[in-house]
Amino acid sequence: LEYYQKSLQITEKLLGNKHPDVAILYNNIGLVYSSQNDYNRALECYENALLINRLVYGDKHPSIAGAYNNLGAIYEDKKNYAQALEYHKKSLEISKLCYEKNHPAIARSYNNIASVYLSLDNYTSALKYNKKALKMRIEIFGEVHSSIAQSYNNLGAVYNAMGKYPQALHYYKASLTLCEQLMGKENARVASICNNIGSVYHAMNNKEQALYYYEKSLMINTKILGADHPKTQKVKENIENVLHN
């Protein structure tokens, strides 16, 4: 963060405060603030980046779509879902004007809109946009790609929230298979999906399978994150809930 801020000061002196490189630096600083959960400062940085990019490029440019996407993500983190939806839909609209029919940025917007709808418990719309994202990603990347695994996981989450557990398991397990194929069996995403599968089996009162997947998640998280990490502790709590409920 300190180096980005120093770079911003130097770049503004050399190039002026309305240069695209300044917008890039505001965006990078915003990403750091976002990762620190300092959403108000992140918002300010993203708004500055948007302002500069609109002055430089106009309203129909990939950088504008990216800026709206970042603003949507921050408002989602702040749980201001109406505002998040507005910005993600603006990002989608501009991406459709900038790119060919199928493009990762368009699929990303579908994915992000679905995420907001899931937070709003609008499962029909969440399914609709997740399926749009999955279809486009398969057309762009083929069946074996990390973004496909993400879409399968997202669909699993929607079906799980709807209480449609067989469908949730179908998509979660498809995501798990793909993640293990692409990334190996011991990484954070595999651990997360195993935890998700465990939660579905727990909801179905299948304690044996719930424990199997929770313990798999625990083993991976302990190895890569350590025993005291919050994610590791959360899986331990899930196991305790199965054992004592």
Side-chain angles (χ1 to χ4, degrees):
L1 180 59
E2 182 184 348
Y3 288 110
Y4 278 141
Q5 288 170 333
K6 285 180 180 178
S7 180
L8 176 63
Q9 289 175 354
I10 294 166
T11 304
E12 284 182 327
K13 284 180 182 178
L14 291 173
L15 302 175
N17 61 4
K18 298 294 184 283
H19 193 276
D21 288 356
V22 174
I24 291 169
L25 285 165
Y26 272 124
N27 186 66
N28 291 342
I29 293 168
L31 286 169
V32 176
Y33 280 131
S34 177
S35 70
Q36 295 174 345
N37 299 328
D38 191 341
Y39 301 131
N40 291 331
R41 284 181 177 170
L43 204 55
E44 184 181 342
C45 289
Y46 289 147
E47 285 171 346
N48 285 337
L50 175 62
L51 179 64
I52 295 166
N53 282 327
R54 288 180 73 181
L55 288 171
V56 174
Y57 300 115
D59 288 327
K60 296 176 183 177
H61 189 270
S63 67
I64 308 301
Y68 282 135
N69 179 73
N70 291 340
L71 286 165
I74 289 295
Y75 279 113
E76 186 175 1
D77 287 333
K78 288 166 68 72
K79 302 189 188 309
N80 186 337
Y81 298 123
Q83 199 77 21
L85 206 53
E86 180 184 339
Y87 279 116
H88 282 313
K89 287 189 174 182
K90 281 184 178 180
S91 180
L92 174 62
E93 181 183 345
I94 294 169
S95 290
K96 283 182 173 180
L97 293 172
C98 293
Y99 299 115
E100 298 292 328
K101 183 181 176 182
N102 291 336
H103 191 276
I106 298 173
R108 176 190 65 190
S109 287
Y110 286 145
N111 180 78
N112 293 342
I113 291 167
S115 176
V116 178
Y117 276 127
L118 176 58
S119 296
L120 290 167
D121 298 332
N122 186 335
Y123 303 131
T124 301
S125 294
L127 283 177
K128 173 186 169 183
Y129 280 96
N130 271 317
K131 287 179 178 179
K132 279 176 174 279
L134 175 61
K135 182 175 182 291
M136 186 170 289
R137 285 169 166 174
I138 289 173
E139 288 171 357
I140 295 168
F141 300 115
E143 298 274 358
V144 182
H145 190 269
S146 59
S147 68
I148 310 300
Q150 182 194 40
S151 285
Y152 286 150
N153 186 66
N154 293 346
L155 282 163
V158 179
Y159 281 116
N160 189 27
M162 294 172 74
K164 294 187 175 183
Y165 300 128
Q167 293 97 320
L169 284 176
H170 169 76
Y171 282 107
Y172 278 146
K173 288 185 177 182
S175 181
L176 177 62
T177 299
L178 203 46
C179 278
E180 288 181 335
Q181 180 181 345
L182 291 167
M183 306 168 196
K185 295 190 175 183
E186 293 184 352
N187 65 78
R189 285 187 65 177
V190 168
S192 176
I193 298 164
C194 285
N195 185 67
N196 293 342
I197 295 171
S199 73
V200 178
Y201 276 122
H202 191 193
M204 296 172 73
N205 205 32
N206 186 333
K207 294 188 175 184
E208 183 180 349
Q209 285 296 301
L211 284 173
Y212 171 80
Y213 282 99
Y214 280 148
E215 285 169 357
K216 190 174 179 180
S217 178
L218 177 63
M219 180 189 70
I220 298 167
N221 277 333
T222 302
K223 185 169 184 177
I224 64 176
L225 299 175
D228 297 326
H229 192 278
K231 289 184 179 179
T232 309
Q233 291 298 316
K234 179 59 181 173
V235 180
K236 286 181 181 177
E237 288 177 21
N238 292 342
I239 290 171
E240 288 297 313
N241 286 335
V242 174
L243 292 173
H244 296 107
N245 291 323

